[in-house]
Amino acid sequence: MKLLLGVTGGIAAYKACELVSLATKSNWSVAVVMTKNATRFVGPTTFEGLTGQPVMVDTFARDGAMDHIDWPKWADVACLAPATANSLGKLANGIADDALSTTFLALRRGTPCVLAPAMNTEMWENPAVQRNMQWLGDQERYVVVPPVSKRLACGDVGVGGLAAPADILAAIHDALPT
């Protein structure tokens, strides 16, 4: 199976490394596209080492100027983990202003996409985020792995933690057409 993984700029980005490791150990091919802010938490070299593949951070940074179109065609399934409030808002509103948002908006119809949100509780409970989640959840293509309640990196306790990577991988597997 071929997984397109989007990694956004939240503290939970480090858990995407475990998700990639679990997927590759299950013989999945994984391609990673990251936001520039995600690279402040985990470097592209880490994902390149785990996947054996180049990582896309900038749509036009290398010779692969059409990667943002080609990678979505390659994928059997996509996942956004962690999915920040910003990335979810872009996806819900069709905004394509970086490599990740452009790539995810280019997913073929019928390609399932798993969303694993992670953010501060107040952000998660913000009405705009909840509206975006409701709209995305109403679409056939998106499967949401809800955030968990825990002590968050900011010190707050509440809903907003990234689900366990094993649970996200199970949702990715379940999202595949049979």
Side-chain angles (χ1 to χ4, degrees):
M1 292 287 128
K2 296 175 284 192
L3 169 63
L4 176 62
L5 177 63
V7 181
T8 66
I11 189 66
Y14 77 93
K15 290 186 176 183
C17 298
E18 183 181 349
L19 177 59
V20 169
S21 181
L22 290 170
T24 57
K25 286 176 184 173
S26 297
N27 295 317
W28 287 64
S29 295
V30 182
V32 177
V33 58
M34 304 174 71
T35 63
K36 288 182 182 175
N37 284 339
T39 68
R40 297 176 69 109
F41 296 96
V42 180
T45 305
T46 301
F47 290 110
E48 289 172 357
L50 290 169
T51 65
Q53 304 294 327
V55 171
M56 187 189 334
V57 177
D58 187 327
T59 309
F60 303 107
R62 56 186 200 87
D63 292 337
M66 296 304 288
D67 286 350
H68 67 289
I69 301 298
D70 294 336
W71 289 20
K73 290 178 182 175
W74 166 86
D76 295 317
V77 62
C79 177
L80 194 53
T84 59
N86 184 53
S87 63
L88 293 166
K90 287 181 181 185
L91 196 58
N93 290 286
I95 297 170
D97 64 353
D98 60 14
L100 187 142
S101 58
T102 302
T103 301
F104 271 68
L105 285 177
L107 282 168
R108 289 194 236 194
R109 277 174 269 164
T111 301
C113 184
V114 174
L115 305 173
M119 63 198 74
N120 170 273
T121 304
E122 295 301 326
M123 294 172 75
W124 173 248
E125 293 175 352
N126 184 289
V129 172
Q130 290 302 303
R131 178 197 63 224
N132 290 338
M133 289 305 305
Q134 179 67 45
W135 190 89
L136 290 165
D138 288 346
Q139 308 307 305
E140 289 182 23
R141 93 167 336 152
Y142 298 107
V143 173
V144 177
V145 181
V148 298
S149 183
K150 61 178 245 171
R151 183 181 181 279
L152 304 171
C154 62
D156 292 352
V157 176
V159 176
L162 185 68
D167 293 340
I168 297 169
L169 187 60
I172 292 167
H173 186 270
D174 291 347
L176 287 166
T178 54

